[in-house]
Amino acid sequence: MDDMEQLYQEIILDHYKHPRNKTALRAEEVQADEENPMCGDQIQLAIEVDDDVVQRIRFDGKGCAISQASASIMTEQLQGKSVAEAKALIEQFVAMMRGERGIEPGDNEEWLSLSGVRKFPLRVKCATLSWRGMQKVLADR
Amino acid sequence: MADAPFDVAKIRQDFPILQQKIYDDKPLTYLDNAATSQKPQLVIDALVEYYSRYNANVHRALHYLGEQATSRYEGVREKVASFIGAASPESILFTRGTTESVNLVAYTWAQERIQEGDEIIATGMEHHSNLVPWQLCAERTGAKLKLIPVFADGTLDLFALRGMLSDRTRLVTVTHMSNVLGTVNDVAEIVRLARGMGAAVLVDAAQSVPHMPVNMKELDVDFLAFSGHKCCGPTGVGVLAVKPEQFEHMPPFMGGGEMISRVKDLQSTWADVPYKFEAGTPNIADVIALGVALDYLSGVGMEKIQAYEKQLTEYLIQQLQSIQGLRIFGYAKERGGAVSFALDKVHPHDLSQYVDQQGIAIRAGHLCAQPLMRRLGVTAVSRASVYFYNTTEEIDRLKESIVKAQQFFDHG
């Protein structure tokens, strides 16, 4: 597998072309509006938490394949998790992307695909943008 | 000699960085020249020579090395003045780059000349370096900042400028060549209109001085700023050229050594220009190397560079236009070799990453022109920008790689 294929694995391209939970959001629904000033990638998040469980995440945004695919993957992975579980997963994901945590046996294939981004330090922010937005929203809960 | 053909193969040999292969076996294809240019060996050698043969502080050292360093450093003022047709060597101030040059005007001249209720006119296509200093200046002085609108083809609406100018307009500040659209603005006409209202004109020549003959006296502007690193010189050195009568309205910028005449306990008097604006030990090595870079460009010939780049830019636009789903931003007739574009289905960052793996360096992002991006209706673009050492083969390589990227990101 060459570097390009490692960076843009099938699973990432699939989420980019067919994003899950991506929809236009009304201004009053947006709880996090993240922008990467380096490149202009944008992610908006609308999150519903009920009973201390993340029931639903919807996102909208503009940006590269990495930023948009990572947001799509995040919505799938954090829906249905308790707030505490979601916070822990976000922390682990961000640590992995920053190279502070290695790949672990139980990591799912989406994480494995996104881990290819670590070889391209300038792109790590693209991958973590949506996760950091989510982290901010959950911080108050 | 004047009619000798432009020998790009020979020119490329002057640039050691262009000889290398990256990612194992890919020839480096450098098409990010609007960001910074590569350096000929002569310029690199000049830096080494300075530090290994005559490194000393300038102006006050009464010894052999000091005299050598001073005369070479001061010699560059003459070279710059003649390269850009400035009034005199004394009208050349050395700065860190275009950004500092613009800020110097905004913090000195503007503080004295611009008052509450006055107006500053910039354009909708400025690089942040010629916009943000004026936003800050407007805040400090209470002046109003207005932007000349940009037509869809990437040219300025100079009819609108006529309506915007008033007797409160103190300054019109405009880029000579857009780093996004490639547009070469009609500075002569802007100066004519501004003069009619008694306004001064600053031209951001960061993208023009490297690529075409520029003559400050002919343009009749009050301030002209450019950076050394975009015209084969080192980073960290730039120029502000000032029309001499404007010096009367320019208090000092930074205080310190070198810029003073006499320092008393509680107050001081200032050195003559240009030294009044060059506090502290200047960037001696890089200024000297900038002089070597300008000599090199003169040796190649700015007219020849401009003519060759015109052909190359036409070829680049032609090749890009032949790609389906690709949209170019900026169709000015008078233009330089910075060409921005977007693909229907590939984000600029993904494209830039993809072509990089083939050894091709292009730019992606907002190109330090967020207000213009909003006008274009995008958050980011891709940009290929040529210099006189680029070739049509390199442009072919770019085209091939863009088409491959479309296939890569668009299958399934």
Side-chain angles (χ1 to χ4, degrees):
Chain A
M1 197 155 46
D2 72 15
D3 284 349
M4 265 302 99
E5 284 164 2
Q6 201 175 335
L7 178 60
Y8 296 106
Q9 292 192 31
E10 209 49 52
I11 201 161
I12 293 180
L13 291 177
D14 179 54
H15 274 274
Y16 175 52
K17 290 175 199 163
H18 313 287
R20 331 292 199 255
N21 304 308
K22 185 172 184 179
T23 172
L25 298 173
R26 293 196 313 276
E28 63 270 23
E29 293 181 306
V30 174
Q31 285 157 280
D33 189 356
E34 295 294 300
E35 181 162 349
N36 183 351
M38 292 271 290
C39 56
D41 284 349
Q42 293 169 1
I43 296 281
Q44 290 95 33
L45 296 172
I47 297 145
E48 288 161 38
V49 177
D50 197 17
D51 249 0
D52 210 34
V53 170
V54 179
Q55 304 287 358
R56 192 169 175 218
I57 309 172
R58 290 171 300 148
F59 83 101
D60 195 11
K62 279 187 205 161
C64 64
I66 306 295
S67 69
Q68 303 303 303
S70 183
S72 169
I73 288 169
M74 181 193 75
T75 62
E76 284 201 325
Q77 298 198 338
L78 299 187
Q79 280 181 156
K81 296 279 187 302
S82 74
V83 170
E85 284 169 341
K87 281 182 178 173
L89 273 172
I90 293 168
E91 240 171 64
Q92 285 180 45
F93 178 79
V94 171
M96 176 194 74
M97 292 310 298
R98 293 171 52 157
E100 292 155 4
R101 167 194 184 276
I103 302 291
E104 287 172 12
D107 287 347
N108 55 59
E109 58 175 345
E110 284 82 5
W111 283 32
L112 291 178
S113 324
L114 284 167
S115 70
V117 178
R118 294 182 302 177
K119 274 184 78 172
F120 303 88
L122 293 172
R123 304 302 295 279
V124 167
K125 271 197 178 150
C126 308
T128 54
L129 189 64
S130 52
W131 297 73
R132 287 190 178 286
M134 189 71 189
Q135 195 168 36
K136 284 183 201 164
V137 176
L138 294 183
D140 309 332
R141 291 178 186 272
Chain B
M1 260 321 268
D3 297 312
F6 195 83
D7 189 350
V8 68
K10 187 161 167 285
I11 282 169
R12 287 180 72 82
Q13 287 169 11
D14 297 335
F15 293 80
I17 208 167
L18 300 177
Q19 313 307 319
Q20 66 182 319
K21 297 200 164 171
I22 59 173
Y23 299 129
D24 298 337
D25 60 343
K26 309 285 195 312
L28 173 68
T29 304
Y30 186 75
L31 293 169
D32 193 16
N33 293 287
T36 195
S37 72
Q38 297 303 343
K39 323 301 174 200
Q41 187 67 50
L42 280 169
V43 169
I44 301 166
D45 289 346
L47 293 168
V48 175
E49 195 200 1
Y50 167 73
Y51 285 118
S52 47
R53 315 266 314 252
Y54 55 97
N55 169 53
N57 211 331
V58 288
H59 298 142
R60 289 174 310 281
L62 299 176
H63 48 65
Y64 175 81
L65 295 181
E67 275 165 23
Q68 287 284 313
T70 303
S71 79
R72 295 197 199 206
Y73 176 83
E74 286 302 324
V76 179
R77 253 188 252 282
E78 286 168 42
K79 286 184 208 277
V80 172
S82 102
F83 192 81
I84 59 168
S88 65
E90 292 73 34
S91 65
I92 301 299
L93 312 183
F94 293 121
T95 62
R96 280 188 301 140
T98 305
T99 299
E100 186 176 300
S101 297
V102 173
N103 276 282
L104 197 158
V105 180
Y107 276 95
T108 63
W109 182 88
Q111 283 306 105
E112 188 161 316
R113 296 296 279 177
I114 297 181
Q115 268 118 47
E116 192 170 349
D118 285 345
E119 291 162 3
I120 303 165
I121 298 179
T123 84
M125 64 166 79
E126 293 311 306
H127 188 282
H128 295 164
S129 60
N130 194 29
L131 179 63
V132 180
W134 302 113
Q135 293 173 345
L136 291 168
C137 175
E139 254 174 53
R140 279 196 306 273
T141 58
K144 194 165 174 217
L145 177 62
K146 297 176 173 176
L147 304 185
I148 306 173
V150 183
F151 285 127
D153 69 350
T155 59
L156 288 177
D157 184 350
L158 296 188
F159 297 102
L161 172 61
R162 287 163 200 261
M164 292 163 72
L165 283 162
S166 77
D167 57 1
R168 298 306 303 264
T169 309
R170 294 286 167 266
L171 178 75
V172 179
T173 185
V174 55
T175 181
H176 199 183
M177 185 192 292
S178 162
N179 70 310
V180 177
L181 305 162
T183 312
V184 175
N185 287 316
D186 188 353
V187 172
E189 176 65 5
I190 291 167
V191 168
R192 200 181 65 80
L193 294 172
R195 288 277 179 269
M197 287 292 173
V201 177
L202 183 154
V203 61
D204 166 2
Q207 297 291 344
S208 59
V209 163
H211 301 284
M212 60 195 261
V214 171
N215 188 298
M216 188 176 172
K217 273 180 287 194
E218 276 172 25
L219 291 174
D220 192 32
V221 294
D222 298 275
F223 304 100
L224 183 144
F226 73 95
S227 296
H229 70 94
K230 291 193 206 285
C231 50
C232 295
T235 54
V237 57
V239 167
L240 175 68
V242 180
K243 192 187 237 187
E245 59 250 44
Q246 295 295 3
F247 278 126
E248 289 168 29
H249 309 296
M250 291 171 70
F253 182 32
M254 288 188 274
E258 196 91 10
M259 54 77 73
I260 47 82
S261 169
R262 178 169 298 177
V263 177
K264 298 186 202 156
D265 278 359
L266 301 179
Q267 61 203 23
S268 302
T269 53
W270 315 129
D272 292 335
V273 292
Y275 311 109
K276 177 178 166 186
F277 298 98
E278 292 180 8
T281 295
N283 189 352
I284 306 164
D286 292 323
V287 165
I288 290 169
L290 171 63
V292 173
L294 297 183
D295 282 346
Y296 175 81
L297 289 177
S298 298
V300 178
M302 289 310 294
E303 277 92 1
K304 283 188 183 178
I305 287 174
Q306 185 182 26
Y308 176 71
E309 285 184 22
K310 187 166 189 283
Q311 286 176 17
L312 210 54
T313 304
E314 277 166 17
Y315 186 74
L316 171 61
I317 290 174
Q318 216 176 58
Q319 293 307 302
L320 289 176
Q321 275 174 331
S322 73
I323 298 173
Q324 274 207 336
L326 186 148
R327 182 161 61 117
I328 292 176
F329 299 100
Y331 280 96
K333 230 170 78 193
E334 295 298 322
R335 66 165 305 148
V339 183
S340 296
F341 58 94
L343 296 171
D344 280 350
K345 295 190 173 152
V346 188
H347 189 274
H349 295 130
D350 296 322
L351 177 69
S352 162
Q353 190 96 58
Y354 188 91
V355 302
D356 173 63
Q357 296 294 304
Q358 324 264 327
I360 303 169
I362 60 169
R363 191 64 148 207
H366 53 58
L367 311 185
C368 293
Q370 287 177 350
L372 178 59
M373 292 294 124
R374 277 191 289 278
R375 285 182 183 89
L376 298 173
V378 292
T379 52
V381 296
S382 300
R383 178 187 69 196
S385 53
V386 298
Y387 209 8
F388 60 100
Y389 42 65
N390 287 123
T391 65
T392 52
E393 291 77 32
E394 290 181 305
I395 291 168
D396 293 340
R397 232 176 271 154
L398 171 66
K399 180 190 169 181
E400 195 185 320
S401 186
I402 293 174
V403 172
K404 276 195 204 158
Q406 285 181 314
Q407 289 159 359
F408 182 83
F409 286 102
D410 200 30
H411 67 109

